[in-house]
Amino acid sequence: MSSGKQAKGNGLTYADAGVNITAGNDLVDLIKPLAKSTRRRGADAKLGGFGGLFDLKACGFKDPVLVAANDGVGTKLKLAIDAKRHHEVGIDLVAMSVNDLVVQGAEPLFFLDYYATGKLDVAAARDVIAGIADGCKQAGAALIGGETAEMPGMYAGDDYDLAGFAVGAVERKKILPRADVKAGDVILGLASTGPHSNGYSLVRRIVAKTGLALNAPAPFAKGKSLGEALLTPTRIYVKSILKALRTGNGIKSLAHITGGGFTENIPRVLPKSTVAAIDLAQVPFSPVFKWLQAEGSVAEHEMLRTFNCGIGMIVVVAAKDEKAVRNALSRAGEKVVRLGEIRKRKGAEAQVAYSGTLG
C-alpha cells in the first residue's frame, strides 16, 4: 500500500496552465517544409534536433572569420498584430540581422529565430515563419532552427515577440570596413522600401494622431491599405552587395541605416579623421516619409536620426571605382544614388555633414 497522499480530483496538466504542447508540435510539422526550402551548401535545414548543424568547410572558405548578429522587429510587430498581417515581419526579422552581416563583407550562412507568445496561434506563427523562410531565401541563408515559447501571463491577447540570430562568414583579408577610407571617396546610397523596421513607435504615434484605421486607404500608396503600406518589408541587400564585392575591391565601407538614421550609423564605419558630406537633395525621400513628416510635424534633424528617409544602405567607394560599383549594384537590382563624398574632419565636428534639404 502506498503511503503517499492521493491527489484530489483530476490532476492538472500543462494545458490547464495555458501551454498547448500539441499545438506546438503541429507548428513544427507545418514549418519543416519551410525550413527545408532554405537549404544551402553546408546545411540540410532539418528541424527537430537539439541544435542546428552547419558544415563551414562545405562552403569553400579558406581563412574564414565568423560574424554574428541578432535583432528584432521592434514595435512594427504591433502594427502586424493589429492588421493581422504576419508574413512581412518574418522577412523583417531576417533582414535586420543579415543586412548587419553583409556590411562587414560577410555572407550569411544560417539563421535561427525565437517566437514567444502567451497563447500559440498556429496559423499566425506559421505565417511569421513562412516570412522568415522567405527572408532566408532572399539572403541565401539556411533556417536551421529556432524556438517557439508559449508563456501564459507574459503576453496579452494576440501579442507575440520575435528575435532573430544570423551567422555569416568572411575571408579574413576581406573584412569591412577597410582602414583606407579617405577624403575624395564617393558615398553611394541604396534605396529603401520604406521605414524598414525602425522608428515604428513614432510611426504608430503619428497614425494614432491622424485617426486613420489600418484598413483605410494609405494616403501615400495608391491601391494599398495603410497597414499594408506601413508593413512593407525591409529590403534585403545581401545578394546584390555580395555580387558587387566579388567584382573587385572598390567597396571600402558599408553602413546599414537602421535606428539612428544617417546621423548615428554612418560614423560607425568611418575613420575618426573623416566626415561624410551628404547632399540631402539627392536622397529619394519617398512618399511614406513625406507623409510621416507632414502628419507628425517632425523636424528634419529628427527625421534624419530616426528614419532611413529613403536610403537603407550606404556604400563608400574610391572615386575611380564608382562607375564599376554602381553598375554592379544596378545590375543586381538596386536603385543607386550618389549622395556625396568623404572629406577630412576639422577638429571635433560631427562626422556627418548635411547640405540641402530632404524632399
Side-chain angles (χ1 to χ4, degrees), residues 76 79-80 83 85 88 213-218 220 224-232:
K76 190 174 185 178
L79 286 182
R85 298 180 62 98
E88 293 92 338
L214 292 178
N215 61 1
F220 53 85
K224 293 184 177 181
S225 69
L226 181 60
E228 180 184 5
L230 290 176
L231 287 167
T232 300

Side-chain angles (χ1 to χ4, degrees), residues 27-48:
L27 178 62
V28 171
D29 289 338
L30 286 172
I31 65 179
K32 281 181 178 178
L34 299 173
K36 186 176 180 179
S37 73
T38 69
R39 181 178 294 166
R40 56 153 294 155
R41 282 185 304 166
D44 61 12
K46 291 180 180 178
L47 297 184

Side-chain angles (χ1 to χ4, degrees), residues 9 13 24 34 65 70 75 88 123 150 168 174 201 210 258 267 319 337 340 350:
T13 66
L34 299 173
V65 174
N70 73 297
T75 59
E88 293 92 338
E150 191 173 23
K174 295 185 177 181
S201 292
T210 67
T258 55
V337 295

Side-chain angles (χ1 to χ4, degrees), residues 25 104 159 178 316:
N25 291 336
Q104 294 174 91
D159 286 352
R178 283 164 35 188
V316 179

Side-chain angles (χ1 to χ4, degrees), residues 294-317:
E295 294 295 335
S297 300
V298 184
E300 185 174 82
H301 71 86
E302 189 68 16
M303 293 292 295
L304 289 166
R305 73 172 196 164
T306 304
F307 299 114
N308 66 60
C309 293
I311 294 292
M313 188 72 72
I314 293 290
V315 186
V316 179
V317 301

Side-chain angles (χ1 to χ4, degrees), residues 82-148:
D82 292 345
K84 300 187 185 306
R85 298 180 62 98
H86 309 288
H87 184 271
E88 293 92 338
V89 290
I91 299 173
D92 285 313
L93 186 68
V94 178
M96 296 305 290
S97 286
V98 296
N99 283 341
D100 280 353
L101 293 186
V102 79
V103 299
Q104 294 174 91
E107 174 189 347
L109 301 176
F110 59 86
F111 188 85
L112 301 99
D113 68 277
Y114 174 76
Y115 180 102
T117 186
K119 181 176 176 57
L120 184 61
D121 180 333
V122 172
R126 194 266 177 200
D127 286 348
V128 170
I129 298 169
I132 291 171
D134 190 355
C136 284
K137 286 185 282 188
Q138 290 181 41
L143 177 60
I144 66 170
E147 168 70 3
T148 301

